[in-house]
DNA sequence: CCCGGATAGATCGTATACGATCTTCACCAC
DNA sequence: GTGGTGAAGATCGTATACGATCTATCCGGG
């Protein structure tokens, strides 16, 4: 009792459990691309690496399984979720719908400062077009859309969007890095979206433009990867 | 080896782990309403009830937490997730968007038989309007929409819809049971949706009608529960 | 009467242990 | 060479044990 301070490091930040630490560690590793899709996750190894027993690691993996980031088979083990082209397509289409709606639901709440910040980021993206680095470009792209979403009137929609992006993991950048020319198109569409929001277009129109922006990225990717395959997705 | 058959009960159905059993048990109990929102989930008690130790129960609860059905606080315990009015509103709006899109993405693949089956269910709902039982009505409503979704070209969208409904748990029926007159309106809108699909309207039109169908339910609920509060949700 | 502090009980968090299951690979019959 | 068989090793699944933390209750001081 004497002079116990327990060094709370940060007031209001209770020490997180080991299972939480494992959860975040694995999640970050997947997002960073250190753990490629299909990579096997051995409980014991992860436990050893994080200096804990397997029980918290199991919990973490169960959570990640529920979120769709890893697959888990009884008596076989866990693997980083594979995202094949079909799943990628479906996730991206879902995202186009969710992001379109989220953008519309945020449009009326965006301030002049928000719009300028978004425009600044887009300008930076334009500058980088010549010396193209997929990773840096993708980061800016995330920031751009993050600003547009931030004031979304529906926080649950944001959660859904973020969860879906987490599922796609390190594939974030593939859409830009694999499809030449798409980046230039993308920043043009960004300008269009900003103009639409600034001029107070109807929410339905904003939703459509934002949706098509993401859908176009998906189309470009699909056409680039599978020039022969028909896009079995209804024009939407 | 002799004559070991291991009685595989069902070929292709491997014995499920205890954690899976716990997961399903809790999930069903929540969906059935046996475990009300806010109800405390004591690991030891559940473990005793299911005749297992706490470890699998913890895993199950972590999964349910990731799915949003349960909240979990370190050193405090788990509770069935509370869905306050704000969250309910946000989830329902998200659902209106997801379901609208899912309906449109399924429209072109629906067969004549599908449409007739949906119509039959809706007719049954109309019959039940006089002798209204929220639970039975809700079941039929689920079946109706399940048929419309079943052929959705995007399975991921269906997963998102189902996950969101699971989050709302036993509140499924509140939308009908609490808002007098909404049921009658709802079945009329069902007929509209069917007509739209049958006559080959553009997907965008189908999406809008399906979205408004769900959004109208939400509005009715909000107006009924909070006649004074402004609906802070953009008309969409 | 109200309030701060101590104590007991309940519950959570994780390590360890051990049986169950799967995977691998060497080996042998054909 | 091919395919089946068996054993060894790796890994998973869960029970048990015990320390850590929270909650509720009781008590003495103000």
């Amino acid at each position: 009792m004497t002079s116990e301070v327990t060094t709370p490091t940060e007031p209001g930040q209770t020490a997180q459990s080991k299972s939480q630490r494992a959860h975040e560690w694995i999640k970050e590793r997947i997002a960073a691309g250190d753990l490629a899709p299909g990579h096997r996750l051995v409980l014991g190894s992860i436990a050893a690496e994080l200096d804990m027993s397997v029980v918290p690691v199991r919990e973490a993996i169960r959570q990640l399984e529920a979120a769709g980031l890893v697959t888990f088979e009884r008596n076989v083990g866990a693997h980083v979720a594979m995202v094949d082209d079909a799943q990628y397509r479906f996730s991206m289409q879902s995202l186009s719908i969710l992001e379109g709606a989220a953008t519309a639901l945020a449009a009326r709440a965006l301030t002049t400062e928000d719009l300028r910040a978004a425009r600044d980021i887009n300008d930076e993206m334009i500058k980088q077009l010549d010396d193209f680095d997929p990773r840096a470009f993708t980061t800016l792209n995330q920031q751009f859309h993050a600003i547009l979403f931030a004031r979304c009137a529906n926080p649950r929609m944001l959660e859904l969007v973020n969860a879906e992006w987490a599922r796609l993991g390190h594939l974030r950048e593939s859409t830009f890095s694999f499809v030449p020319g798409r980046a230039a198109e993308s920043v043009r569409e960004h300008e269009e979206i900003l103009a639409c929001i600034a001029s107070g277009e109807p929410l339905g129109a904003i939703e459509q433009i934002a949706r098509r922006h993401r859908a176009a990225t998906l189309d470009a990717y699909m056409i680039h990867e599978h020039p022969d395959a028909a896009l079995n997705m209804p024009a939407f």
Side-chain angles (χ1 to χ4, degrees), chain A:
Chain A
M1 284 311 150
T2 59
S3 63
E4 281 227 39
V5 187
T6 65
T7 49
T9 48
E10 280 293 325
Q13 178 192 356
T14 55
Q16 64 178 351
S17 65
K18 293 197 175 184
S19 71
Q20 280 175 286
R21 195 151 58 83
H23 179 103
E24 285 167 22
W25 187 84
I26 301 173
K27 191 171 177 180
E28 283 167 14
R29 283 304 185 87
I30 293 176
D34 297 341
L35 300 173
H39 188 286
R40 178 157 184 205
L41 300 170
V42 179
L43 299 184
S45 309
I46 296 174
E49 176 115 19
L50 296 178
D51 192 36
M52 60 180 72
S53 83
V54 295
V55 177
V57 176
R58 280 181 62 90
E59 280 179 29
I61 286 185
R62 287 295 205 192
Q63 286 179 280
L64 292 167
E65 183 197 14
L69 272 69
V70 311
T71 59
F72 201 84
E73 244 181 312
R74 177 183 167 80
N75 284 326
V76 172
H79 296 261
V80 178
M82 303 279 283
V83 180
D84 60 24
D85 263 329
Q87 288 178 281
Y88 178 78
R89 203 178 61 184
F90 294 139
S91 275
M92 283 295 286
Q93 189 184 44
S94 304
L95 273 169
S96 75
I97 289 161
L98 289 170
E99 290 191 0
T103 303
L105 285 169
R108 292 290 181 266
L110 288 174
T111 65
T112 318
E113 289 75 39
D114 292 331
L115 289 174
R116 189 174 50 233
R119 188 176 303 280
D120 287 347
I121 290 176
N122 199 46
D123 288 345
E124 177 59 28
M125 290 172 81
I126 292 173
K127 272 190 212 154
Q128 293 197 2
L129 281 179
D130 302 323
D131 179 22
F132 189 64
D133 170 29
R135 189 169 285 254
F137 196 82
T138 301
T139 302
L140 286 172
N141 191 51
Q142 295 287 327
Q143 289 174 2
F144 177 86
H145 286 288
I147 290 176
L148 294 193
F149 295 162
R151 302 201 189 274
C152 179
N154 186 333
R156 177 63 186 154
M157 201 94 65
L158 293 186
E159 289 178 20
L160 291 171
V161 169
N162 289 332
E164 203 60 19
W165 273 118
R167 258 173 59 89
L168 297 183
H170 74 294
L171 291 180
R172 283 176 138 81
E173 36 202 281
S174 69
T175 44
F176 293 113
S177 53
F178 292 165
V179 183
R182 174 61 198 152
E185 220 174 281
S186 191
V187 294
R188 255 200 314 281
E189 289 168 6
H190 284 178
E191 290 179 343
E192 241 183 284
I193 293 172
L194 289 177
C196 251
I197 294 174
S199 65
E201 296 277 321
L203 293 184
I206 294 172
E207 179 183 17
Q208 286 303 315
I209 288 195
R211 182 187 288 190
R212 279 186 217 286
H213 166 60
R214 179 64 70 198
T217 302
L218 173 58
D219 285 349
Y221 173 81
M222 291 309 294
I223 290 170
H224 183 258
E225 293 293 299
H226 306 284
D228 303 327
L231 287 174
N232 276 331
M233 212 159 283
F236 201 37

